[in-house]
Amino acid sequence: MPNNRVLISGASVAGPALAFWLRRYGFTPTVVERAPELRDGGYAVDFRGASLEVLDRMGLLGAVEAAATRMGEVTYVDGADRPLVVTPATYQSGELEILRGDLSRILYDATKDDVEYVFGDSITGITEHGAGVTVTFAHGEPREFDLVVGADGLHSNVRSLVLGDERRFRHDLGYYVSICTVPNHLGLDHVGRFYNEPNRTVGVYSARDNTEAKALFWFGADRLDHDHRDAGQQRRIVEERFAGVGWETPALLEAMRTAPDFYFDSASQIKLDSYARGRVALVGDAAYCAAPLSGMGTSLAVVGAYVLAGELASASYETAFADYEREMRPFVDACQKLAEGNGKWFVPPTRAWLKFRNLNYRLLPYLPWRKLIEELPLKAGNAITLKRYAGAPV
């Protein structure tokens, strides 16, 4: 098979999902991951629409459903923990929700026996030549591949090496988020509790059958000058932004200081004119990050991996990359659009907006446009018709 050897950068979701399909089409994928081992923990991620069909075609829908969070309603409270408004489960968690680390484990377990994984290394150079691509690594020896795919997230190393500075493609939405694992000290049972002050949201929801919880911290801000690999600096930013905030915030900040899976980043989107250049393509957040406010990032990653692999199995890489973009672009646009304007509803900028938001949530069951609001994410999730690729093992 031409273009058989495919190097994939990133072992979170899009990377292993792409490796899954490529292997089943007869390719020889290799996945390189900067982290020394598979990353556990992490926040909850959602599936909607077409992505559920992809999981089913992979034969993994049952495994994902078995590990689902089964998250229920979320209650917004005041500083004394008194309920203000309750939102239904589907409003926060889509049709199916799972912890990112659990999903990564499922995808890894489904591919580890016939896909080469290289942990603790990263790509330092990509040199394309007539017959393929020479790739250099931070630790390993240079290797030859036919194609390279960046599935390495918002801050994609592959994208930077091939297309240039991230700032050219990153569109910040004006918010930052931090999520980490903490003890379930409130005894939450498949539910969440959120608290707002102007421009800040702090919350906690139970996870893994209530044996632990996830704390989240959202705040509005212009672009911060910080190192996205410096967790110590990021923890200090969160502490500074939430100093003096009420409710359970001091306890959650204390737990954050020693959390094993601290995450911090901007709510940003990636917008590219093309998802590929030469023999290098991008998939998932590296190509079209939709921002956490959309709830569609994981759906995009899983669907994008399916489409990219199917197109590569159907045509030369030049044609495949062009067809992959043609298939994905309307879906990407629909998913990214969901994030527009969502921030002020989740992180109200003023007390007036906070009261307005709570009033709307309380009245939502009686509002004539409730059905439309509930259907918008599902409509975006189904904004692609999945092809049945020739020779697909489904």
Side-chain angles (χ1 to χ4, degrees), residues 60-81:
L60 298 179
L61 181 58
V64 174
E65 289 176 334
T69 62
R70 296 175 179 82
M71 189 67 175
E73 62 191 23
V74 168
T75 301
Y76 285 84
V77 301
D78 65 13
D81 202 43

Short mmCIF file of all heavy atoms in Angstrom, two decimals, residues 60-81:
data_model
loop_
_atom_site.label_atom_id
_atom_site.label_comp_id
_atom_site.label_asym_id
_atom_site.label_seq_id
_atom_site.Cartn_x
_atom_site.Cartn_y
_atom_site.Cartn_z
N LEU A 60 -16.82 0.16 19.80
CA LEU A 60 -16.43 0.64 21.12
C LEU A 60 -17.54 1.37 21.85
O LEU A 60 -17.34 1.83 22.98
CB LEU A 60 -15.21 1.58 20.99
CG LEU A 60 -13.94 0.96 20.41
CD1 LEU A 60 -12.85 2.02 20.32
CD2 LEU A 60 -13.47 -0.22 21.25
N LEU A 61 -18.71 1.49 21.23
CA LEU A 61 -19.78 2.24 21.88
C LEU A 61 -20.16 1.62 23.22
O LEU A 61 -20.37 2.32 24.21
CB LEU A 61 -21.00 2.30 20.97
CG LEU A 61 -22.22 3.07 21.50
CD1 LEU A 61 -21.84 4.51 21.84
CD2 LEU A 61 -23.36 3.04 20.49
N GLY A 62 -20.22 0.31 23.29
CA GLY A 62 -20.55 -0.37 24.54
C GLY A 62 -19.55 -0.08 25.63
O GLY A 62 -19.93 0.15 26.79
N ALA A 63 -18.26 -0.10 25.29
CA ALA A 63 -17.22 0.17 26.28
C ALA A 63 -17.30 1.60 26.79
O ALA A 63 -17.11 1.85 27.99
CB ALA A 63 -15.83 -0.10 25.68
N VAL A 64 -17.58 2.54 25.89
CA VAL A 64 -17.70 3.94 26.32
C VAL A 64 -18.94 4.11 27.19
O VAL A 64 -18.90 4.80 28.21
CB VAL A 64 -17.75 4.88 25.09
CG1 VAL A 64 -18.01 6.31 25.52
CG2 VAL A 64 -16.43 4.79 24.32
N GLU A 65 -20.04 3.49 26.81
CA GLU A 65 -21.26 3.58 27.62
C GLU A 65 -21.04 2.99 29.01
O GLU A 65 -21.54 3.52 30.01
CB GLU A 65 -22.41 2.86 26.92
CG GLU A 65 -22.92 3.60 25.69
CD GLU A 65 -23.99 2.84 24.95
OE1 GLU A 65 -24.02 1.58 25.07
OE2 GLU A 65 -24.80 3.47 24.26
N ALA A 66 -20.26 1.91 29.09
CA ALA A 66 -20.00 1.28 30.39
C ALA A 66 -19.19 2.19 31.31
O ALA A 66 -19.30 2.09 32.54
CB ALA A 66 -19.28 -0.05 30.19
N ALA A 67 -18.36 3.06 30.71
CA ALA A 67 -17.52 3.97 31.50
C ALA A 67 -18.12 5.36 31.60
O ALA A 67 -17.46 6.28 32.09
CB ALA A 67 -16.12 4.04 30.89
N ALA A 68 -19.34 5.53 31.14
CA ALA A 68 -19.97 6.86 31.12
C ALA A 68 -20.11 7.42 32.53
O ALA A 68 -20.24 6.69 33.51
CB ALA A 68 -21.34 6.78 30.46
N THR A 69 -20.10 8.75 32.61
CA THR A 69 -20.21 9.40 33.92
C THR A 69 -21.60 9.27 34.51
O THR A 69 -21.78 9.35 35.71
CB THR A 69 -19.89 10.90 33.80
OG1 THR A 69 -20.86 11.52 32.94
CG2 THR A 69 -18.49 11.12 33.24
N ARG A 70 -22.60 9.10 33.65
CA ARG A 70 -24.00 9.06 34.09
C ARG A 70 -24.33 10.29 34.94
O ARG A 70 -24.97 10.22 35.97
CB ARG A 70 -24.31 7.78 34.86
CG ARG A 70 -24.18 6.54 33.99
CD ARG A 70 -24.36 5.24 34.77
NE ARG A 70 -24.25 4.11 33.85
CZ ARG A 70 -23.09 3.58 33.45
NH1 ARG A 70 -21.97 4.10 33.90
NH2 ARG A 70 -23.06 2.58 32.60
N MET A 71 -23.85 11.40 34.44
CA MET A 71 -24.02 12.65 35.15
C MET A 71 -25.47 13.11 35.12
O MET A 71 -26.12 13.05 34.08
CB MET A 71 -23.13 13.72 34.50
CG MET A 71 -23.06 15.02 35.27
SD MET A 71 -22.22 14.80 36.84
CE MET A 71 -22.18 16.48 37.42
N GLY A 72 -25.95 13.57 36.25
CA GLY A 72 -27.30 14.08 36.35
C GLY A 72 -27.34 15.59 36.28
O GLY A 72 -26.53 16.23 35.62
N GLU A 73 -28.25 16.17 37.01
CA GLU A 73 -28.45 17.60 36.94
C GLU A 73 -27.33 18.38 37.63
O GLU A 73 -26.58 17.84 38.45
CB GLU A 73 -29.78 17.96 37.60
CG GLU A 73 -29.83 17.59 39.08
CD GLU A 73 -31.22 17.69 39.67
OE1 GLU A 73 -32.22 17.61 38.93
OE2 GLU A 73 -31.30 17.84 40.91
N VAL A 74 -27.21 19.63 37.25
CA VAL A 74 -26.27 20.56 37.87
C VAL A 74 -27.06 21.66 38.56
O VAL A 74 -27.97 22.25 37.96
CB VAL A 74 -25.31 21.16 36.83
CG1 VAL A 74 -24.53 22.34 37.43
CG2 VAL A 74 -24.34 20.11 36.32
N THR A 75 -26.71 21.92 39.81
CA THR A 75 -27.39 22.94 40.59
C THR A 75 -26.47 24.14 40.77
O THR A 75 -25.33 23.99 41.23
CB THR A 75 -27.79 22.40 41.98
OG1 THR A 75 -28.65 21.26 41.80
CG2 THR A 75 -28.53 23.47 42.78
N TYR A 76 -26.96 25.31 40.41
CA TYR A 76 -26.24 26.55 40.69
C TYR A 76 -26.67 27.03 42.07
O TYR A 76 -27.88 27.08 42.39
CB TYR A 76 -26.55 27.61 39.64
CG TYR A 76 -25.87 27.35 38.31
CD1 TYR A 76 -26.42 26.49 37.37
CD2 TYR A 76 -24.65 27.97 38.02
CE1 TYR A 76 -25.79 26.26 36.16
CE2 TYR A 76 -24.02 27.74 36.81
CZ TYR A 76 -24.59 26.88 35.88
OH TYR A 76 -23.95 26.65 34.69
N VAL A 77 -25.69 27.38 42.90
CA VAL A 77 -25.98 27.73 44.30
C VAL A 77 -25.44 29.12 44.62
O VAL A 77 -24.63 29.68 43.87
CB VAL A 77 -25.34 26.70 45.26
CG1 VAL A 77 -25.88 25.30 44.98
CG2 VAL A 77 -23.81 26.70 45.13
N ASP A 78 -25.89 29.65 45.76
CA ASP A 78 -25.34 30.92 46.25
C ASP A 78 -24.20 30.61 47.22
O ASP A 78 -23.83 29.44 47.43
CB ASP A 78 -26.42 31.79 46.88
CG ASP A 78 -27.04 31.18 48.14
OD1 ASP A 78 -26.48 30.19 48.69
OD2 ASP A 78 -28.09 31.69 48.58
N GLY A 79 -23.66 31.64 47.84
CA GLY A 79 -22.51 31.46 48.72
C GLY A 79 -22.78 30.61 49.93
O GLY A 79 -21.85 30.03 50.52
N ALA A 80 -24.05 30.48 50.32
CA ALA A 80 -24.43 29.64 51.45
C ALA A 80 -24.86 28.25 51.00
O ALA A 80 -25.44 27.50 51.79
CB ALA A 80 -25.55 30.31 52.24
N ASP A 81 -24.58 27.90 49.77
CA ASP A 81 -24.90 26.60 49.18
C ASP A 81 -26.41 26.38 49.01
O ASP A 81 -26.88 25.25 48.94
CB ASP A 81 -24.30 25.46 50.01
CG ASP A 81 -24.14 24.17 49.18
OD1 ASP A 81 -23.71 24.28 48.02
OD2 ASP A 81 -24.48 23.09 49.69
#
